[in-house]
């Protein structure tokens, strides 16, 4: 019975995916030795590729010394991670609040915003994705822990974005005025939210870049109304879009949420921001058993060294540009490959066949037969999402494009 349930849950979690036993670089391998070029990059976490030698070395060494202690026993690696991360993010001075998964870090960011403002509400945006937890605190009874939990009235507001605003300054101005009006009215009604939360590129729903003018408006209005701005950079962070982070000193939210590539496959995430804000959430007001475990910290510390030394965002900028150009030229030949979008190694296109996403599934399955993994779906089910490891070479990208061309011709 139990085995059956596990089998069902695994099958549900990975329809039409291969079962793999090892990886190297940008490739995964199944038991028969068949290779798969991973254009999903381990859900965007394997920025430096699979089984990179120096990371495996650190992993081996640390696993022989100490894997886990519990969050409240200190280890030197966590101090290294915090210091190195604080030196990479775009804040002049930063505090780091660590967590294990991306969704957990989002919960931390919301807690910080609620702790800092004493308010409950959150404004989020259409087509957003920030994780799948339901607020574990809502079923936890300790009143100290529940301090920053939203009550029955969650005061959540979803606002629409205007994706065409970057092409038309008048539309950007209108959108900004509407957001200002929304916040003004909330202020008058004494219902100002604690936070505004957004992904700079909306990943899960199909890699939709949020127009820069809208992100600027969010940061500016957040400041003006005293609402904490949160950029969810769990996907866009760590070089994926061609710069270290999407945020930069000119476009700086109050809080930056990071995850995925920080451990290059080991579970570790973080919320980063000015110390006086992040430190609003006191010691023990949020933690998990595995927070800052020695093994994940040792690997993340090495990952951060690699970021400092090798600047992998440059690979994302050049190789991502190459991939995008190749997709666009192929789209000129085959009109089903449409709406190429994204930045760096965070790209997508819509495979517009005869509708309802049927053709895109055929494309995904055929690519898999030919040894290429892609992820599909989102707001438009026909979307193909490409987030390969940043270290994918132009030769490997060429091989992907050739396979895509061959498969498209056969459909
Ligand atoms: C933008 C964004 N936020 C949050 C999450 C949730 O992260 P996790 O799956 O590690 O909980 C994801 C996961 O894909 C994501 O893409």
């Amino acid at each position: 019975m139990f085995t059956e349930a596990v089998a069902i849950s695994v099958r549900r979690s990975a329809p039409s995916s291969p079962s793999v036993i090892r990886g190297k670089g940008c490739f995964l391998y199944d038991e028969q030795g068949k290779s798969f070029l991973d254009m999903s990059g381990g859900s965007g976490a394997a920025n430096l590729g699979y089984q990179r030698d120096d990371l495996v070395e650190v992993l081996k060494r640390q696993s022989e010394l100490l894997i886990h202690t519990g969050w409240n026993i200190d280890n030197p690696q966590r101090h290294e991670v915090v210091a190195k991360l604080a030196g990479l993010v775009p804040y002049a001075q930063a505090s780091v609040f660590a967590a294990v998964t991306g969704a957990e870090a989002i919960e931390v960011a919301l807690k910080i915003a609620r702790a800092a403002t004493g308010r409950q509400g959150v404004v989020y945006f259409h087509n957003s994705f920030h994780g799948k937890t339901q607020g574990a605190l809502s079923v936890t009874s300790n009143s100290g822990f529940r301090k920053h939990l939203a009550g029955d009235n969650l005061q959540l507001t979803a606002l629409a974005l205007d994706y065409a605003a970057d092409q038309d300054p008048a539309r950007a101005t209108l959108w900004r005025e509407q957001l200002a009006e929304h916040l003004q009215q909330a202020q008058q009604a004494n219902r100002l939210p604690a936070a505004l939360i957004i992904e700079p590129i909306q990943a899960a729903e199909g890699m939709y870049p949020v127009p820069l003018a809208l992100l600027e408006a969010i940061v500016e209005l957040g400041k003006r109304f005293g609402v904490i701005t949160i950029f969810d950079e769990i996907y866009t962070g760590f070089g994926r879009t061609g710069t270290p982070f999407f945020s930069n000193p000119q476009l700086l939210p109050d809080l930056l949420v990071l995850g995925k590539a920080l451990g290059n496959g080991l579970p570790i995430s973080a919320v980063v921001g000015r110390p006086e804000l992040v430190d609003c959430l006191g010691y023990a007001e949020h933690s998990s058993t595995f927070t800052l475990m020695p093994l994940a910290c040792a690997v993340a510390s090495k990952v951060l060294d690699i970021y400092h030394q090798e600047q992998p965002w440059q690979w994302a900028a050049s190789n991502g540009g190459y991939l995008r150009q190749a997709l666009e030229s192929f789209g000129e030949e085959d009109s089903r490959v449409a709406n190429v979008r994204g930045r760096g190694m965070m790209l997508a296109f819509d495979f517009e066949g005869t509708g309802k996403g049927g053709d895109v599934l055929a494309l995904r399955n055929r690519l898999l037969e030919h040894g290429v993994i892609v992820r599909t779906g989102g707001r438009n089910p026909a979307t193909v999402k490409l987030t390969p490891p940043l270290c994918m070479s132009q030769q490997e990208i060429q091989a992907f494009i050739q396979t895509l061309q061959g498969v498209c011709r056969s459909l």
Side-chain angles (χ1 to χ4, degrees):
M1 191 65 186
F2 178 67
T3 317
E4 177 71 355
V6 170
I8 289 167
S9 106
V10 169
R11 238 179 289 137
R12 278 198 188 130
S13 69
S16 72
S17 85
S19 174
V20 295
I21 57 161
R22 71 185 174 88
K24 189 74 194 166
C26 300
F27 287 91
L28 293 167
Y29 299 84
D30 71 10
E31 220 159 348
Q32 285 72 44
K34 177 172 172 166
S35 67
F36 297 91
L37 185 66
D38 183 11
M39 297 302 292
S40 81
S43 292
N47 277 14
L48 304 175
Y50 293 108
Q51 306 300 113
R52 196 180 133 126
D53 291 346
D54 46 7
L55 290 177
V56 171
E57 191 51 46
V58 167
L59 192 67
K60 275 189 195 156
R61 203 178 334 126
Q62 186 61 42
S63 63
E64 279 166 8
L65 287 170
L66 188 63
I67 293 172
H68 168 75
T69 55
W71 71 276
N72 51 353
I73 297 180
D74 206 1
N75 67 70
Q77 292 83 5
R78 60 174 61 164
H79 295 273
E80 283 175 28
V81 170
V82 166
K84 289 173 189 174
L85 184 55
L88 191 65
V89 292
Y91 298 93
Q93 237 204 327
S95 260
V96 174
F97 201 115
V100 181
T101 66
E104 189 197 357
I106 293 291
E107 298 220 20
V108 171
L110 296 177
K111 277 188 182 181
I112 291 172
R114 288 181 175 131
T117 60
R119 302 190 295 262
Q120 296 275 304
V122 179
V123 170
Y124 63 104
F125 295 92
H126 291 185
N127 298 319
S128 61
F129 177 76
H130 298 291
K132 293 183 180 171
T133 56
Q134 283 200 48
L137 275 184
S138 62
V139 289
T140 298
S141 61
N142 182 305
S143 59
F145 290 156
R146 288 175 72 97
K147 200 161 75 182
H148 308 299
L149 174 67
D152 287 341
N153 180 2
L154 289 170
Q155 298 179 25
L156 301 174
T157 309
L159 298 181
L161 294 165
D162 181 349
Y163 295 99
D166 263 355
Q167 280 94 59
D168 184 347
R171 289 177 74 148
T173 306
L174 179 65
W175 192 89
R176 192 183 156 285
E177 284 169 0
Q178 284 168 346
L179 180 59
E181 174 73 19
H182 177 87
L183 294 173
Q184 183 80 43
Q185 282 179 8
Q187 192 173 42
Q188 280 161 2
N190 208 17
R191 281 173 70 89
L192 208 52
L196 286 152
I197 182 166
I198 192 152
E199 300 149 87
I201 297 178
Q202 296 180 302
E205 290 302 324
M207 305 296 167
Y208 293 102
V210 176
L212 198 58
L214 271 47
L215 294 171
E216 286 167 351
I218 288 169
V219 169
E220 183 212 319
L221 293 171
K223 253 194 208 104
R224 192 197 315 164
F225 285 91
V227 175
I228 304 298
T229 48
I230 304 172
F231 278 10
D232 176 348
E233 289 224 45
I234 288 168
Y235 227 124
T236 53
F238 295 106
R240 180 150 292 282
T241 68
T243 49
F245 300 95
F246 199 100
S247 311
N248 60 65
Q250 281 72 49
L251 181 69
L252 199 57
D254 292 307
L255 296 173
L256 202 59
V257 188
L258 303 169
K260 289 197 189 281
L262 176 54
N264 205 61
L266 270 285
I268 179 167
S269 60
V271 180
V272 184
R274 285 174 284 110
E276 62 273 24
L277 175 59
V278 174
D279 298 345
C280 281
L281 199 61
Y283 177 74
E285 282 188 316
H286 186 91
S287 65
S288 291
T289 301
F290 298 112
T291 304
L292 293 171
M293 66 187 297
L295 189 68
C297 285
V299 172
S301 174
K302 183 67 189 172
V303 165
L304 289 164
D305 285 343
I306 295 168
Y307 272 86
H308 280 284
Q309 285 154 15
E310 299 183 27
Q311 312 197 331
W313 50 89
Q314 295 183 11
W315 315 337
S318 62
N319 296 341
Y322 182 79
L323 174 57
R324 185 183 181 130
Q325 219 168 25
L327 287 169
E328 282 171 346
S329 347
F330 183 44
E332 282 165 22
E333 245 171 70
D334 185 335
S335 62
R336 291 172 300 175
V337 174
N339 305 324
V340 177
R341 58 187 175 271
R343 215 172 94 164
M345 285 291 227
M346 190 166 174
L347 301 173
F349 63 89
D350 299 326
F351 189 71
E352 303 285 12
T354 49
K356 299 247 158 75
D359 287 4
V360 81
L361 295 185
L363 176 74
R364 186 180 74 187
N365 292 339
R366 202 65 70 81
L367 281 170
L368 197 58
E369 281 165 28
H370 287 78
V372 173
I373 297 171
V374 295
R375 297 211 304 165
T376 60
R379 187 175 67 156
N380 176 356
T383 295
V384 178
K385 299 182 247 183
L386 304 172
T387 56
L390 310 189
C391 59
M392 184 168 281
S393 68
Q394 296 199 352
Q395 232 176 349
E396 288 163 337
I397 291 172
Q398 256 169 14
F400 162 67
I401 292 290
Q402 275 164 11
T403 307
L404 179 69
Q405 288 170 331
V407 164
C408 283
R409 278 185 208 114
S410 73
L411 285 174

